[in-house]
Amino acid sequence: MEKLIITAAICGAEVTKEHNPNVPYTVEEIAREAKSAYDAGASIIHLHVREDDGTPTQDKNRFKECIDAIRKVCPDVIIQPSTGGAVGMTDMERLQSTEVEEESLKHPEMATLDCGTCNFGGDEIFINTDNTIKTFGKTMMERGVKPEIEVFDKGMVDIAIRMNKKGYIASPMHFDFVLGVQMSASVRDLVFISESIPHGSTWTVAGIGRHEIPMAAAAIVMGGHVRVGFEDNIYIEKGVVAKSNGELVEKVVRIAKELGREIATPAEARQILGLKPFLNK
Ligand code: KMH
Ligand code: ZN
């Protein structure tokens, strides 16, 4: 079986310090959390950024500051900025995160591409129209950014397949199944959705809340990959908040080791995902 790629979604846009005081807002806190996850075995950092007061932002300069700070402490990690941002942001606001340049990268290696509209609790709707998806897909293709296709239900897999056929998303596609927001998060759901993607695609699963670790364990056995982190879940066990994102990654590493699945380094993750080797100057 392929080595296991662990993505750490260290911050998110919705979770706050009121939920868990260790949720990072400042540049320093974001770098600290990225390092804790990287040291524990994460090869990808899924990145949202905040203002110092916790307000979510897609500001290009803030992304640049955070990416530079992460790069100092995690020299070869894959940084995957969110283009989802927070509910209510405009498309152009959201796409700014794909513009950020690093010393050795013209654009980020990866970014998220949300392939459909879904309910986000209460009256919140996370809007991704067909035109949004086309614009984001085309822009990422032009910038050489590999999309991680975020799907919250099986219909979004079908949208991604249609966009792929129309030339807005390149093959092989890489999917993240976000289970427990709109679609439920059972092993049956994971088997169904992972068998619905084109042959040759790769996938990871982000189980939300109490579903995080059970979905991770299922993915480890099934040959998929795993995403954990404060964006999706703040607890290390029932009622106990995690001290760091690294603590959540460590838990996945322990389970993977027990189940005989080795952990991918960032270089190995790049190979599995078809990214270019990373030459950090
Ligand atoms: N915060 C959500 C509205 C992504 O990163 O692409 C969107 C989200 C998905 O988190
Ligand atoms: Zn996200």
Side-chain angles (χ1 to χ4, degrees), residues 24-195:
Y25 296 164
T26 66
V27 175
E28 294 70 30
E29 288 169 348
I30 283 183
R32 178 201 73 209
E33 285 306 305
K35 180 170 165 43
S36 79
Y38 170 80
D39 287 348
S43 49
I44 303 179
I45 302 296
H46 168 70
L47 187 64
H48 289 253
V49 300
R50 311 282 189 98
E51 304 292 356
D52 285 351
D53 67 359
T55 309
T57 175
Q58 288 292 104
D59 179 64
K60 186 182 159 174
N61 298 322
R62 187 65 166 188
F63 263 100
K64 169 81 179 143
E65 277 185 276
C66 290
I67 288 175
D68 287 348
I70 292 173
R71 190 59 74 206
K72 281 201 181 115
V73 290
C74 313
D76 60 342
V77 80
I78 300 166
I79 301 176
Q80 179 199 85
S82 168
T83 69
V87 168
M89 290 176 172
T90 66
D91 288 0
M92 287 308 115
E93 208 177 345
R94 287 166 52 184
L95 266 177
Q96 284 183 81
S97 61
T98 64
E99 290 170 22
V100 181
E101 278 185 48
E102 286 187 49
E103 205 186 316
S104 47
L105 286 175
K106 179 96 180 79
H107 294 291
E109 295 173 273
M110 296 185 86
T112 55
L113 172 52
D114 294 270
C115 271
T117 295
C118 65
N119 285 352
F120 244 65
D123 292 325
E124 304 263 278
I125 307 172
F126 180 37
I127 299 176
N128 295 285
T129 65
D130 269 13
N131 285 342
T132 300
I133 300 164
K134 286 177 181 170
T135 305
F136 281 36
K138 196 164 164 286
T139 306
M140 287 190 207
M141 215 174 253
E142 285 164 3
R143 293 181 176 162
V145 178
K146 170 137 185 164
E148 176 174 279
I149 300 162
E150 306 292 307
V151 297
F152 293 74
D153 66 31
K154 153 70 166 62
M156 296 189 191
V157 170
D158 301 328
I159 293 174
I161 292 171
R162 285 200 293 276
M163 292 294 172
N164 171 251
K165 286 195 176 130
K166 288 180 183 162
Y168 293 100
I169 305 174
S171 299
M173 293 189 278
H174 175 63
F175 289 86
D176 177 29
F177 306 133
V178 186
L179 299 185
V181 178
Q182 179 147 292
M183 185 166 167
S184 52
S186 68
V187 170
R188 189 183 71 136
D189 294 311
L190 186 59
V191 169
F192 171 58
I193 199 164
S194 63
E195 288 185 353

Side-chain angles (χ1 to χ4, degrees), residues 209-272:
R210 68 192 160 84
H211 302 296
E212 182 168 82
I213 296 300
M215 287 296 99
I220 291 166
V221 176
M222 289 165 66
H225 302 282
V226 170
R227 175 174 122 172
V228 292
F230 289 161
E231 176 166 350
D232 305 330
N233 166 48
I234 53 167
Y235 295 104
I236 190 68
E237 59 184 76
K238 194 168 181 206
V240 182
V241 293
K243 291 192 196 75
S244 66
N245 280 276
E247 211 183 3
L248 294 167
V249 175
E250 277 166 15
K251 189 163 178 169
V252 173
V253 170
R254 278 200 304 276
I255 296 169
K257 289 212 165 125
E258 286 295 332
L259 293 168
R261 186 105 184 255
E262 287 180 77
I263 309 300
T265 62
E268 289 163 342
R270 283 187 177 88
Q271 222 168 16
I272 294 167

